[in-house]
Amino acid sequence: MAGSLMAVFWSLLSAMMFAGTFILVKLGRRTVTTVATLWITLSFNVVILWFWSLTVQPVDFTDWWGWRYFALAGLFAPLLGRLFQFIGMARLGANITTPITLTHPLVTVLIAVVILSEPVTFTKLVGGVLVLIGSLAVGSQGASATALSSVLEGQQRRYLWFPVAASLAYGISVVFRKVGIDLGTDAVTASAVTTSASWVVVTLFVTLRWQWQRIRCSRFELGYLAAAGVLSSLGPVFFYLALQRGELIVVAPLAATTPLFVLLATWVLSREGELFSRTVLTGTLVTVIGVSLMTAF
C-alpha cells in the first residue's frame, strides 16, 4: 500500500513539474523559435541532471548497455512526441491536438497489460480510466464539436495522424522507461540518459539543417527558459521514482493530469473565473475520484 501511495505522490508531483514547465515557457516566449526553446530547455536538462547524477553518487559508465531503454525512451519522448505534437498544433490548433495527444496512457496501459503482463485489478483499472477521462475533459477545454467536425470533413483531416503519432510516441516512451528503471538504474541517471538522447538528436538536426542562427533568445526569455529547464529536469526524475514504486496502469494515467495543474496555475495567475466551466469542474471531480480509487485499493 505504501508503495502505491508513493507512486501516486511522485506521479502527481511529476505532472505538476511539467505543468510548471508549460506555464513558464508560455509566459516567457516572445520571439524565440520552437526549435530554440526545445534545444535550450534540453540543454539545461542535460547539464542539471548529469551534474546531479555525478555529484550524488558514482555512476558506473561500464553499464552503459543497461541504459539502452532510456535512450530509446528519449527518442520517442520528448523528441518525437513533442515534434509531432508541435506540428499538430501548427496544422490543427491546440484545441484539437491536445485531447488526442492526451490519450497516450491508453497506449501505455494496453502494452503493459497485453505485452508486459502487468497485474491489473478492476478497481485500479476503473480509477485509471476515470483519471484519463477527467484529464481529457480538462485538456479539451476550448475545443468544440464544430471545430472537430470541420477538421474531419475538410482537407485538414490528413494532419490528424500527427497528434495520433504523438500519442503513440509518448505512450511507447513510458513503457521503455518502466522496463529500463526495473533493471536497477537510479532515477536521476535514467533521466539524464533520456534527456541526453533527445538533446543529441536535436543538436544533430540543428547542425545538419544549418539552423544555429535560430538558437537565440533575449535575456528575459533565457530567464524563463532556465526556470523551465529546472522544472523539466525534476519532472522525469519524479516520474522515474513513480515507475520504481508502481505499475504502469497506475502511473501512466496520473502522469496525464498535467492539464489540470496547468489550468489551476492559469487561474491563479489570471484569476479568470470563467476558466472553470461545468466541463472543467466535472473533469476535475472525475479525476479526484479516479485518484482516490487508485490510492485506496
Side-chain angles (χ1 to χ4, degrees), residues 83-100:
L83 174 64
F84 291 137
Q85 187 175 7
F86 285 161
I87 296 175
M89 287 181 175
R91 301 292 186 178
L92 302 171
N95 291 337
I96 300 296
T97 301
T98 300
I100 298 176

Side-chain angles (χ1 to χ4, degrees), residues 206-268:
V206 173
T207 302
L208 294 176
R209 294 291 298 271
W210 297 89
Q211 292 191 5
W212 282 110
Q213 69 276 7
R214 301 181 62 186
I215 308 298
R216 60 181 61 188
C217 64
S218 65
R219 184 175 299 180
F220 171 84
E221 291 172 321
L222 183 61
Y224 276 93
L225 293 179
V230 173
L231 294 187
S232 58
S233 297
L234 294 174
V237 174
F238 296 153
F239 186 68
Y240 274 118
L241 289 174
L243 289 175
Q244 285 178 330
R245 291 161 174 79
E247 300 92 355
L248 281 173
I249 194 172
V250 174
V251 176
L254 293 175
T257 59
T258 297
L260 186 62
F261 294 109
V262 170
L263 189 75
L264 180 61
T266 302
W267 178 79
V268 171

Side-chain angles (χ1 to χ4, degrees), residues 90-247:
R91 301 292 186 178
L92 302 171
N95 291 337
I96 300 296
T97 301
T98 300
I100 298 176
T101 304
L102 283 174
T103 61
H104 64 83
L106 292 176
V107 178
T108 302
V109 171
L110 183 63
I111 296 175
V113 174
V114 176
I115 298 180
L116 301 183
S117 300
E118 275 203 357
V120 54
T121 63
F122 178 75
T123 306
K124 285 185 177 180
L125 181 61
V126 171
V129 171
L130 289 177
V131 170
L132 179 59
I133 292 174
S135 299
L136 285 172
V138 175
S140 61
Q141 176 67 6
S144 63
T146 303
L148 180 59
S149 177
S150 63
V151 168
L152 293 176
E153 294 175 0
Q155 294 186 359
Q156 283 184 310
R157 65 177 178 270
R158 67 180 183 273
Y159 298 125
L160 284 173
W161 79 270
F162 286 111
V164 171
S167 178
L168 290 172
Y170 283 125
I172 294 172
S173 174
V174 174
V175 175
F176 279 128
R177 293 171 195 236
K178 175 62 174 175
V179 173
I181 203 67
D182 283 346
L183 295 178
T185 306
D186 67 281
V188 179
T189 302
S191 301
V193 175
T194 302
T195 54
S196 296
S198 294
W199 180 86
V200 168
V201 175
V202 173
T203 301
L204 287 174
F205 171 81
V206 173
T207 302
L208 294 176
R209 294 291 298 271
W210 297 89
Q211 292 191 5
W212 282 110
Q213 69 276 7
R214 301 181 62 186
I215 308 298
R216 60 181 61 188
C217 64
S218 65
R219 184 175 299 180
F220 171 84
E221 291 172 321
L222 183 61
Y224 276 93
L225 293 179
V230 173
L231 294 187
S232 58
S233 297
L234 294 174
V237 174
F238 296 153
F239 186 68
Y240 274 118
L241 289 174
L243 289 175
Q244 285 178 330
R245 291 161 174 79
E247 300 92 355

